Amino acid sequence: MPALNDDEVLTEMKKMVAFIKQEALEKAREIKVKADEEFAIEKAKIVRQETTNIDALYSRKRKQVEIQKKISASNQNNKSRLKLLSLREELLEEAFEEAREGLANLTKDKSRYEGVLKDLILQALYTIMEKEVTVRCRKSDSELVQKAKDAASSEFKENAGLELNLNVTEDLPEESAGGVIIKGYGNRIVVDNTLDQRLKLLEQEMLPELRDTLFGKNPNRKHYN
């Protein structure tokens, strides 16, 4: 094979350089395409992950807001309920206070008050069923109590067949609303029939009925006696 001259050598070298360059360009395109594919895959993966994280964060925030709203609503309901209960108790106390004031008017009506005293004494006598009895009253009520205890004693004797010895003591405090305290069996049995005590008992017995009358039935209550 004849030797190549300088021009031919230069031409061959250019061909080789062009081939190598072409190979390099194709290889570079392959690397770029693969890199772009991997980048797109990784980008999509990151986007999905971040989207999932954002959705989870939003879900937690939404639940926190809902919980806070429920807590706030519950607190507001409790405050409203407590305020309502307080107002109800105030109204009930006003009703009972009017009843206490009514006791003073009762004692001013001597004829009516004497009848009340007689009934209070008689009820206590039936409770004790004893011959020797002490009747405690206010000094200001002494005259009415003497009349009332005679009438009660007479009715008790007629119905129970017992002869009574009723002693009256004027040692109830004047600030008391009135009424009597009856003692028997050597002061071991005591029946408190003062007007203050009777009102307290009435308050306890009538409180549920008063609540229903003033405010209606409790919708949360399932059972009634």
Side-chain angles (χ1 to χ4, degrees):
M1 183 177 179
L4 299 176
N5 58 33
D6 292 342
D7 290 338
E8 291 174 339
V9 170
L10 182 59
T11 299
E12 289 297 324
M13 288 181 65
K14 287 181 178 180
K15 289 180 179 179
M16 291 178 64
V17 169
F19 177 77
I20 293 170
K21 185 176 181 180
Q22 184 62 32
E23 287 287 326
L25 289 173
E26 291 179 357
K27 191 65 176 178
R29 280 196 295 271
E30 289 179 5
I31 293 172
K32 185 177 185 304
V33 170
K34 186 176 181 181
D36 289 344
E37 289 177 353
E38 291 179 352
F39 173 77
I41 293 172
E42 188 64 24
K43 178 181 177 182
K45 180 180 178 181
I46 293 173
V47 170
R48 285 195 303 272
Q49 184 63 46
E50 289 303 315
T51 300
T52 301
N53 291 341
I54 291 172
D55 288 343
L57 178 62
Y58 174 76
S59 179
R60 288 197 301 270
K61 292 290 185 182
R62 183 174 59 188
K63 288 180 180 179
Q64 289 175 355
V65 170
E66 290 175 354
I67 291 172
Q68 191 59 44
K69 285 173 63 177
K70 289 180 180 179
I71 293 174
S72 178
S74 177
N75 290 338
Q76 190 61 40
N77 288 337
N78 287 336
K79 288 181 181 179
S80 299
R81 188 158 44 246
L82 289 174
K83 185 176 182 180
L84 178 60
L85 289 174
S86 178
L87 289 174
R88 286 183 173 183
E89 291 304 318
E90 288 180 11
L91 289 174
L92 288 171
E93 184 57 35
E94 288 180 6
F96 291 138
E97 185 60 35
E98 289 182 7
R100 295 186 192 100
E101 293 174 359
L103 294 179
N105 296 328
L106 169 64
T107 58
K108 291 177 182 177
D109 186 340
K110 301 300 183 182
S111 176
R112 184 183 176 196
Y113 185 35
E114 182 181 334
V116 170
L117 289 170
K118 177 244 183 182
D119 290 338
L120 292 174
I121 294 171
L122 188 60
Q123 187 270 337
L125 292 176
Y126 285 128
T127 300
I128 296 176
M129 294 299 290
E130 163 69 349
K131 295 180 179 181
E132 295 290 333
V133 177
T134 299
V135 181
R136 297 179 59 201
C137 67
R138 299 185 302 183
K139 185 175 182 179
S140 57
D141 293 338
S142 179
E143 183 178 348
L144 290 177
V145 169
Q146 290 289 348
K147 296 178 181 179
K149 66 102 174 173
D150 290 341
S153 179
S154 177
E155 184 172 334
F156 180 77
K157 180 181 178 181
E158 181 179 347
N159 293 328
L162 291 177
E163 189 74 40
L164 295 173
N165 181 21
L166 273 68
N167 298 311
V168 177
T169 62
E170 305 167 354
D171 53 357
L172 281 187
E174 287 299 320
E175 58 268 22
S176 167
V180 293
I181 293 178
I182 312 296
K183 295 183 177 182
Y185 292 95
N187 295 335
R188 291 192 297 274
I189 296 180
V190 178
V191 178
D192 189 342
N193 268 355
T194 57
L195 297 184
D196 292 317
Q197 182 61 22
R198 299 293 293 190
L199 181 58
K200 286 180 182 179
L201 293 174
L202 183 62
E203 288 177 5
Q204 294 172 4
E205 293 176 1
M206 295 294 295
L207 189 57
E209 184 176 340
L210 281 174
R211 282 200 175 100
D212 290 345
T213 301
L214 293 174
F215 313 118
K217 298 287 185 181
N218 185 347
N220 297 319
R221 186 175 179 183
K222 297 181 180 179
H223 304 288
Y224 292 88
N225 294 330

